[in-house]
Amino acid sequence: MESEFIAVVRRFNRTVTQRVGALDDEYMARARPLAQARLLWEIGPAGAEVAALRSRLGLDSGHLSRLLRALEGDGLVTVGPSEQAGGDGRVRVAALTDAGRAEWAELDERSDGFARSILAPLTGRHRERLVTAMAEVQRLLVASMVTIGPCPPGDPRARACVRAYARDVARRFDDGFDPARSNPVRDDELAPPAGVFLLATLNAEPVGCGAVKLHPDAPAEIKRVWVADSVRGLGIGRRMLRELERYAAERGWSAVRLDTNRNLTEAIAMYRAAGYQEIEAYNTEPYAHHWFEKYLAAQPPAEPLARPLHSIENGRCS
């Protein structure tokens, strides 16, 4: 990775942390640091499950507990069992007190004022440039937060993605989509060593999936590539495709192929841009109108990543 890129990112991070007051002990002059203020904001008037807060903010349990205790000590938050879960102590919910709701409203107003203070010194043209650049940076940062890794196809999150895939294509296909009519894709075909199911997550929530079947004596076959609307346009589909190709290549497959429906125009464009060539039909999939194949270059084993690839423990992806 280019050292100049890394240097620019580090300068950007230093500038942002200083400008937004991340180093201040009293963020927005409200007697608490940024981490506590952000947690208070995320809890919000509706409250939030502690587990959801941990995933959404990327905090470990110990740090989150300390932040919650600090807010509880200030009389802003209560933490207890969820009534919706029948008082199950394993499902804990953080809720704002009356004082917490007043503080949340004050933080909301001051945050608007702080945003205005950033824009106020700039000319109209520079404001537009800054806001446009911020929107683009926010989108790209979200893209960088999406992780892709293996997951058992029977995991609830994998199942949820496949159901979302089926709903999505049913809306787009001319005659809908009935999984019972489609060529079957069994779980055992998508588990090592026969294949793999990859799950894309954002803040621990599933936002995409894809799978590859490693056929003996035939090209590998890519199946069920899907990306949620919330992250469309961020290159997640292309990343998923690249990871599936890498998985097949690392295991000795020299080609991959796939089928797709004529109504999935964005997917067809992605496949062609990624180097896939249209071929004759290689299966009898009733919903397919196009069949593609791509020859793969030999791939060295991927370097271990710090977080992006999920581990698989006890039949679940984590």
Side-chain angles (χ1 to χ4, degrees):
M1 189 174 294
E2 294 85 343
S3 59
E4 312 90 76
F5 286 6
I6 294 174
V8 169
V9 170
R10 292 185 61 182
R11 285 198 301 272
F12 177 83
N13 290 343
R14 290 195 296 271
T15 301
V16 169
T17 53
Q18 180 179 357
R19 186 64 181 91
V20 303
L23 305 179
D24 298 341
D25 289 334
E26 298 186 353
Y27 182 68
M28 299 277 186
R30 296 306 293 167
R32 64 186 51 84
L34 173 60
Q36 292 181 23
R38 176 63 191 278
L39 179 57
L40 184 75
W41 174 263
E42 289 294 337
I43 294 170
E49 290 187 8
V50 172
L53 291 169
R54 185 169 60 246
S55 295
R56 194 184 312 160
L57 296 174
L59 300 174
D60 65 65
S61 298
H63 189 195
L64 179 60
S65 294
R66 290 190 291 273
L67 292 174
L68 286 170
R69 284 199 299 270
L71 294 176
E72 283 185 289
D74 289 341
L76 302 177
V77 169
T78 61
V79 179
S82 169
E83 294 181 2
Q84 293 182 349
D88 186 345
R90 292 171 297 179
V91 183
R92 299 168 64 236
V93 170
L96 300 183
T97 63
D98 289 342
R101 283 188 287 273
E103 182 65 16
W104 188 94
E106 180 67 23
L107 181 62
D108 184 38
E109 184 175 345
R110 290 189 179 220
S111 295
D112 282 348
F114 181 67
R116 292 189 188 95
S117 74
I118 292 176
L119 298 171
L122 304 177
T123 65
R125 184 170 64 87
H126 284 165
R127 289 178 190 174
E128 290 182 5
R129 288 179 59 189
L130 178 60
V131 170
T132 300
M134 283 180 163
E136 180 67 5
V137 168
Q138 190 268 341
R139 281 174 51 80
L140 294 176
L141 285 176
V142 168
S144 76
M145 293 164 63
V146 173
T147 62
I148 298 175
C151 185
D155 182 274
R157 292 189 294 177
R159 295 278 195 234
C161 278
V162 172
R163 289 194 297 271
Y165 162 86
R167 290 193 299 269
D168 195 8
V169 297
R171 289 193 298 267
R172 304 187 63 181
F173 288 3
D174 292 332
D175 300 316
F177 176 72
D178 179 2
R181 288 190 57 217
S182 181
N183 288 351
V185 181
R186 303 190 312 271
D187 285 356
D188 62 313
E189 296 178 302
L190 306 182
V196 73
F197 186 96
L198 297 184
L199 188 72
T201 58
L202 175 61
N203 298 327
E205 292 299 317
V207 293
C209 65
V212 63
K213 299 162 65 173
L214 301 177
H215 296 294
D217 303 319
E221 185 177 17
I222 290 176
K223 304 295 291 184
R224 304 296 188 258
V225 176
W226 172 80
V227 175
D229 288 342
S230 60
V231 293
R232 290 255 168 96
L234 299 181
I236 307 305
R238 184 65 188 92
R239 279 177 57 192
M240 178 65 71
L241 192 63
R242 191 161 57 242
E243 290 297 330
L244 294 169
E245 293 169 357
R246 177 187 291 275
Y247 187 91
E250 288 176 351
R251 283 149 186 82
W253 268 255
S254 60
V256 291
R257 59 190 179 186
L258 56 88
D259 62 67
T260 191
N261 185 279
R262 62 190 170 206
N263 292 299
L264 301 182
T265 54
E266 302 94 336
I268 291 171
M270 177 180 72
Y271 299 141
R272 286 177 170 151
Y276 285 75
Q277 301 294 320
E278 193 151 5
I279 60 174
E280 294 295 323
Y282 65 84
N283 61 20
T284 57
E285 170 59 52
Y287 293 104
H289 301 102
H290 300 276
W291 292 260
F292 289 95
E293 188 172 72
K294 178 180 179 178
Y295 289 95
L296 304 173
Q299 293 283 339
E303 294 183 5
L305 301 176
R307 287 184 63 88
L309 294 181
H310 301 275
S311 62
I312 299 179
E313 297 180 358
N314 300 322
R316 289 182 59 84
C317 50
S318 59

